[in-house]
Amino acid sequence: MQKIRTLSTFAMILMLPMMLYYPYQAMVWNLNLSFLDQGAWTRNDVWVDVDAQIATATRVVFFVVWTIPVVLGSLSYLLAFMTLVLVRQGIVFDYRVARRLRLLGIFVFSSSVSSLLGGAISPMIRSWHNADGPLPLRFWYNSSEIGLAFCGLAFLFWGIVMREAIRIARENEEFI
């Protein structure tokens, strides 16, 4: 059990800076592009006409679209950290761990998929005010986002299997 405690402590130490850096870095990019640098959309951009006037509502929509994966990803980090806290306390084969693993999987999967969808609709949102009209949806993919989506599914399935294993073990204990 000491190895599990040591490894979970090490993982928690590694996660702490990322739990702060990930939302900060993502929100700085999003805030700068959406609101703080008003010329960012039209400067050196292949999607937006140089003379396009970008409405505030368009910037808000873009901001919200890219905030969703960040919030879901941040919740994923929080759930992973909370799971490590339980494991560090010696709580391993417990319904709370299984539930957190399932939720972790759901949030990681949702964050990755919403990021992929955000990438597909970003050119359309950013080009809403072009003289020729908005660009169509762009079929965009990022292999790391797809990989994260599969990792999310793995955590989800792992949590489901763990919940069933705990249920079966407790059921068997009652017979004895």
Side-chain angles (χ1 to χ4, degrees):
M1 197 62 185
Q2 184 59 36
K3 281 185 181 181
I4 291 174
R5 185 182 175 109
T6 302
L7 285 173
S8 59
T9 302
F10 182 68
M12 289 167 67
I13 291 168
L14 290 178
M15 279 185 69
L16 272 175
M18 198 59 191
M19 288 175 66
L20 300 172
Y21 179 75
Y22 167 71
Y24 169 78
Q25 188 64 32
M27 293 310 286
V28 164
W29 168 82
N30 197 2
L31 280 169
N32 279 333
L33 189 57
S34 298
F35 304 113
L36 301 178
D37 185 357
Q38 293 292 318
W41 279 25
T42 56
R43 186 181 333 112
N44 299 324
D45 196 297
V46 296
W47 296 337
V48 184
D49 292 345
V50 176
D51 56 345
Q53 297 297 317
I54 311 302
T56 303
T58 304
R59 293 177 185 277
V60 168
V61 168
F62 182 84
F63 180 79
V64 168
V65 163
W66 283 107
T67 299
I68 292 168
V70 174
V71 168
L72 292 170
S74 297
L75 289 172
S76 300
Y77 276 114
L78 183 62
L79 277 164
F81 194 84
M82 290 169 44
T83 304
L84 287 171
V85 167
L86 285 178
V87 170
R88 187 176 184 281
Q89 293 172 349
I91 302 167
V92 180
F93 298 108
D94 189 86
Y95 282 119
R96 292 174 289 178
V97 173
R99 182 177 345 125
R100 288 179 185 177
L101 286 173
R102 286 191 327 267
L103 287 172
L104 174 62
I106 290 168
F107 283 122
V108 168
F109 179 80
S110 300
S111 175
S112 300
V113 169
S114 62
S115 181
L116 288 168
L117 292 174
I121 63 173
S122 282
M124 184 175 64
I125 295 170
R126 290 181 67 184
S127 64
W128 273 348
H129 303 286
N130 284 355
D132 297 338
L135 296 170
L137 283 174
R138 173 182 88 144
F139 294 104
W140 170 85
Y141 80 95
N142 180 335
S143 59
S144 63
E145 293 293 337
I146 293 171
L148 275 175
F150 282 116
C151 287
L153 289 176
F155 277 115
L156 173 64
F157 296 151
W158 185 19
I160 291 170
V161 167
M162 189 172 180
R163 180 185 62 194
E164 287 302 307
I166 292 167
R167 185 187 61 77
I168 291 169
R170 289 190 179 166
E171 196 174 275
N172 286 338
E173 286 174 1
E174 290 176 4
F175 287 126
I176 297 175

